[in-house]
Each structure stands twice: as structure tokens, then as C-alpha cells.
Amino acid sequence: MNMYDSNIISNIMKDAGFDRTYDSSSAEIIIFYTCNVREKAAQRVFSNIGLLRSENTKVVAVGGCVPQAEKDEIFRYKHINIAFGPHAYHMLPTYVSRILSGETDRILDVTPLQPQKFNCCGSERTASHSEFVTIQEGCDNYCTYCIVPYTRGKEYSRPVADVISEVKMLLARGAQEITLLGQNVNSYNGEAPYINIGKPKGTWNFGRLLHEVASLDGLRRLRYTTSHPKDITADLMKQHAQIEAMVPFVHIPVQSGSDKILKLMNRRHTAQEYIDKLKAFRDICPDIQFSSDFIVGFPTETEDDFEGTLNLVREVRYICAYSFKYSPRNGTPAATMDGQVPDDIKIRRLSVLQNELMKSQRAHNEAIVGKTMEVLFDKVGRKGGQYVGKNVYMQSVVVASNETDLIGKFKMVLIEQAFQNSVFGSLI
Ligand code: 5AD
Ligand code: SF4
């Protein structure tokens, strides 16, 4: 979502007459867009301000969830001129002009979500072959470790008509793969596009939106992220089976395999309920695969609790996963819970877990050797003549080819060799 927001910010600034440079020493305005989910990400911005400022810098703007959480405390870093939350990026050109004109040297905007921000995506928005579209933002789940409900705010779904017109615009500009974005995409509940005479407009749920998006001309692949397990319904599983463009790969974060920890995290399901849901998904869509997020070292996590996580990983056989040490966030309930786990234990558990996850990723990479799969190429490889693309499972597939340019093209590839993070194959 931060990549999506950053791209929009860049387009809005271009519309306002600014040029983009990748050379920080010549930049007059430096804009940082930040994540506050873990402390490490939040800290990185402050060291980067020091690294990137130069004698040419006239404005430093820090946007995203770090200023949204810190409010005017962020100005303890004295070089910041503009601090804007994730819901204020459409105001940036105005704020930059006010700083450049000397009217003021500090602006803070941490307003709650304003739907109009979505309608300022910038006329210059170009489309690559694979694009994101935010359909929903914010979260009402209040997992006890998570800062997101306090920074991105309450759940809000964009109206169906707005989502469809953005997807159509991207498809018309060359996109072929669309990823629908949100903190909880499958709790989507957006204003319906039609008025049935005599009836209120009503709302559409995620399944209905998926059908509509999938029916648009030019769309070859449809993805979405991210989902809470509670919103993975039997209906959604059926949509996967019915809609051809939907990739058989879903990110369903579980965080922990211990019922005690899941309860303390306020995840509202047990490990077995989660596993059963994934089993049901596999029954309906036999080729479906999953990825997940994990947190190790949540307060009071014992070796037994951690063993529960490892057992769940062995049972589910994820093809990819993101795992983190628990990071206490100010203002969240878990930050003040008893039983905080020492860092050395977190480090050890993270490494054990990542080892297990890597085994399962490697096994999946090996399991597709000998298969022929469709790949959407997105970049050149490290060696001359190599191209790298993604199959439906987001695995990186590398081929050697004499064709002049494969980027943005779908090709059938025979997978021949598996490595830890990629597979190699030949064009058919
Ligand atoms: N500490 C560590 N990881 C966290 N995440 C969210 N909050 C925290 C935290 N306080 C992780 C979760 C979530 C992902 C986006 O970030 O695993 O799914
Ligand atoms: Fe955070 Fe996701 Fe939980 Fe919402 S569902 S509180 S975004 S971890």
C-alpha cells in the first residue's frame, strides 16, 4: 500500500509541475513515505533523512503512518518541514508551495481518512503490466500488537464505481495484472454502482466486486491482499473456483500457531479453525497455495507456543511467508502486557521459524520442476539475455531468451531447475 501511495504522490507532484529525480543530491524537495508497523521501519526514516539531505534541499516532507502516530512529536527531528498522514497526501503540492514561498516552515496534517484523496491519483498515472488498486483502507480488527487501526483508521471501502473506473483506466494503459489492495480486502463493503428504482443504492461485497473486476476487458490476472482469516468464507472459495483470472494463491496471515497466543492477539480463531479453513479451500480449489505472516516472541510466548507455530507451518506447507520479531508499538494493548520476551529468544525463534519456512518454499519450488506454466515477465535478469517473470504463485521464474523484449508479455515456460528463491526454465 505504501508503494501504491508513493506512486500516487509522485504523480500528483508531477501534475503540480515538479520533476522527479532519482539523484537525492540535486533534489530540492525530498519526500519520505513511512511505515510504522514495526519499530525498525519507523527508525529507518530518521537515519535516511540524515543521509539524503544536501545543500540543495529546500523541503523535507515525511508522510505515512509514522507522522500519523507521532503527530507533532515528529518535529523533534528538526529538519522536517511537512509531516502528513496517509490520508493527506493529496494536499502535498499545496503544502510544498507554502513552504517554498516562505509563508511557514512547518506543516502538520494528520486528518482521518478523507475519501476525496482517492480521486487525486494524478493525470500522469502510467501503468506497467502489473498494477495495484486500493479498494479498502483501515482496519476494525484491533489485533493487540498492531498500530494500523490507530494510523490507517477505521475500515473504509471505496465505492464500486470508483474502483472499476481506476481498473479500467489502468487496463486501457496496458496493465494486465491487477492486485486489489487493502488492510482487509475481503471485508470490502463498497457503495453499489447502480440505483434500482425505488430501492436504496446498497453496497457490494468483495465477491461481487471480484466478479465485476474480472469481467473487464484486458484483465489476465487478478490478485488481492491482504486478508483476515475470519473473512475467508465458503463463498469466496467458490469465487476462486469460478473466476478464471483469479490466481490460485492467497495471502492469509495466521501470526501464530498457539491458541493461547492467538487469543491474546485478539485474532478470534484457533489454530485448528485456521487449518480447517485452508483445507476446505484446497478441497474447492485443488491448485490453491498460501502465504502468511508470522510474529515470534509475542508477550508470554513459551517454547511450547512456538512449537505450535512450527507444527502449523509443517502442516500448511506455505509457499512463501513473512516473519517478524514482535515489536512493541506505543498505544497498543500488547506493548504493556506482562511477559515481554527477551530479544535473544526472539532472534533464535525467528531464525528457527525462517528455516522451516524456507524448507517449505524450497519444496514447492522443487515440486513444479517439469511443469509448464504461464509467466508474466517483468524485468531483465542478472546475466545478459535473461528475463525474470512471475507465475501465478508469485515465484520468480528465470529464462534465457534471444527475443528482444519479453517484459510485459505472458509466455509459457517449462520449469527445469529449482533454487531457494527462484526457478529456472525454458520458453516453450
Ligand atoms: N510486531 C511485529 N510484527 C507486526 N506486524 C504487525 N504489527 C506488528 C508488530 N507490532 C506484522 C503482522 C502483520 C504484518 C503486516 O506485520 O504479521 O500481518
Ligand atoms: Fe493489524 Fe491486520 Fe490485525 Fe488489522 S487485521 S489490526 S491491520 S494485523
Side-chain angles (χ1 to χ4, degrees):
M1 188 169 275
N2 274 13
M3 282 169 65
Y4 173 88
D5 287 357
S6 302
N7 191 18
I8 303 249
I9 288 169
S10 165
N11 292 333
I12 295 173
M13 293 303 285
K14 273 192 223 153
D15 272 6
F18 297 95
D19 285 328
R20 181 162 185 179
T21 173
Y22 290 88
D23 168 20
S24 59
S25 64
S26 69
E28 293 177 311
I29 303 161
I30 304 185
I31 305 167
F32 296 88
Y33 205 67
T34 63
C35 174
N36 200 28
V37 161
R38 285 169 295 278
E39 197 180 3
K40 208 164 133 193
Q43 275 168 352
R44 204 171 296 150
V45 66
F46 300 113
S47 52
N48 283 344
I49 293 176
L51 282 176
L52 295 183
R53 268 183 77 250
S54 74
E55 71 237 30
N56 290 323
T57 313
K58 293 185 179 146
V59 183
V60 172
V62 176
C65 291
V66 171
Q68 191 73 21
E70 296 212 355
K71 312 223 164 27
D72 52 5
E73 294 263 304
I74 195 153
F75 291 118
R76 69 185 180 281
Y77 294 91
K78 57 182 189 310
H79 298 300
I80 299 173
N81 306 105
I82 303 169
F84 63 105
H87 309 305
Y89 57 64
H90 56 299
M91 296 302 296
L92 200 54
T94 312
Y95 296 156
V96 167
S97 303
R98 285 176 58 196
I99 302 285
L100 286 174
S101 72
E103 180 191 325
T104 173
D105 61 3
R106 258 187 201 178
I107 296 171
L108 174 73
D109 186 345
V110 287
T111 58
L113 191 138
Q114 308 166 67
Q116 66 266 33
K117 78 168 181 174
F118 292 112
N119 302 328
C120 306
C121 67
S123 62
E124 299 269 317
R125 186 161 178 203
T126 52
S128 74
H129 45 274
S130 179
E131 285 287 334
F132 296 122
V133 173
T134 294
I135 63 165
Q136 177 281 331
E137 211 178 309
C139 182
D140 298 340
N141 289 325
Y142 290 93
C143 303
T144 54
Y145 50 81
C146 186
I147 195 79
V148 168
Y150 311 92
T151 52
R152 291 268 170 181
K154 283 185 72 59
E155 281 180 18
Y156 168 79
S157 297
R158 291 178 70 189
V160 174
D162 291 6
V163 173
I164 298 297
S165 80
E166 190 169 329
V167 176
K168 273 187 177 164
M169 180 269 286
L170 293 167
L171 294 174
R173 294 180 186 184
Q176 304 178 73
E177 177 180 84
I178 296 287
T179 304
L180 303 177
L181 280 183
Q183 273 77 39
N184 284 288
V185 279
N186 26 13
S187 63
Y188 179 85
N189 186 33
E191 186 190 79
Y194 323 119
I195 303 173
N196 290 328
I197 294 165
K199 288 195 184 145
K201 222 171 179 183
T203 56
W204 280 19
N205 67 12
F206 185 53
R208 196 148 176 212
L209 180 76
L210 282 176
H211 267 283
E212 190 72 16
V213 173
S215 72
L216 298 175
D217 279 348
L219 184 89
R220 294 276 299 269
R221 277 185 187 167
L222 184 54
R223 305 180 183 276
Y224 59 86
T225 195
T226 188
S227 314
H228 191 290
K230 76 169 169 35
D231 299 318
I232 302 284
T233 58
D235 184 54
L236 181 65
M237 299 176 197
K238 273 193 226 135
Q239 315 283 349
H240 267 266
Q242 284 167 8
I243 304 177
E244 212 187 311
M246 278 185 75
V247 298
F249 177 44
V250 196
H251 185 62
I252 313 180
V254 67
Q255 317 296 355
S256 167
S258 148
D259 289 346
K260 179 196 94 186
I261 297 293
L262 286 169
K263 190 150 204 249
L264 285 172
M265 286 177 162
N266 191 31
R267 294 290 290 178
R268 286 171 284 172
H269 62 79
T270 62
Q272 195 56 49
E273 281 163 357
Y274 174 89
I275 290 170
D276 289 346
K277 215 165 232 194
L278 268 45
K279 273 192 190 136
F281 216 147
R282 285 200 166 115
D283 286 344
I284 295 177
C285 307
D287 58 348
I288 199 102
Q289 298 288 357
F290 304 104
S291 61
S292 181
D293 293 340
F294 294 91
I295 297 176
V296 298
F298 185 84
T300 78
E301 186 188 71
T302 60
E303 282 302 315
D304 262 9
D305 295 321
F306 177 60
E307 198 56 42
T309 303
L310 294 176
N311 288 337
L312 183 140
V313 166
R314 288 180 195 122
E315 178 145 10
V316 173
R317 290 169 283 113
Y318 294 100
I319 65 168
C320 160
Y322 306 90
S323 44
F324 316 100
K325 290 188 294 176
Y326 167 67
S327 167
R329 310 309 292 133
N330 261 347
T332 60
T336 50
M337 279 180 189
D338 289 340
Q340 299 287 327
V341 174
D343 203 46
D344 56 333
I345 297 183
K346 287 184 195 167
I347 292 170
R348 185 174 48 75
R349 287 184 189 160
L350 186 65
S351 138
V352 173
L353 175 64
Q354 289 184 338
N355 239 341
E356 197 63 47
L357 290 166
M358 272 163 62
K359 271 198 250 166
S360 130
Q361 178 173 349
R362 173 95 195 202
H364 178 69
N365 287 354
E366 277 162 11
I368 62 162
V369 171
K371 291 193 177 158
T372 300
M373 314 186 109
E374 193 177 53
V375 175
L376 172 54
F377 286 93
D378 55 10
K379 58 183 179 191
V380 291
R382 273 193 226 138
K383 295 195 186 136
Q386 277 186 343
Y387 286 91
V388 187
K390 296 276 192 304
N391 64 10
V392 284
Y393 298 117
M394 285 295 247
Q395 284 167 299
S396 288
V397 181
V398 185
V399 299
S401 166
N402 298 328
E403 284 191 46
T404 42
D405 196 1
L406 287 184
I407 294 171
K409 293 188 185 143
F410 281 94
K411 296 277 175 189
M412 294 306 287
V413 175
L414 171 67
I415 310 294
E416 292 164 330
Q417 220 184 341
F419 297 94
Q420 182 60 50
N421 296 313
S422 60
V423 293
F424 278 56
S426 319
L427 292 179
I428 303 273

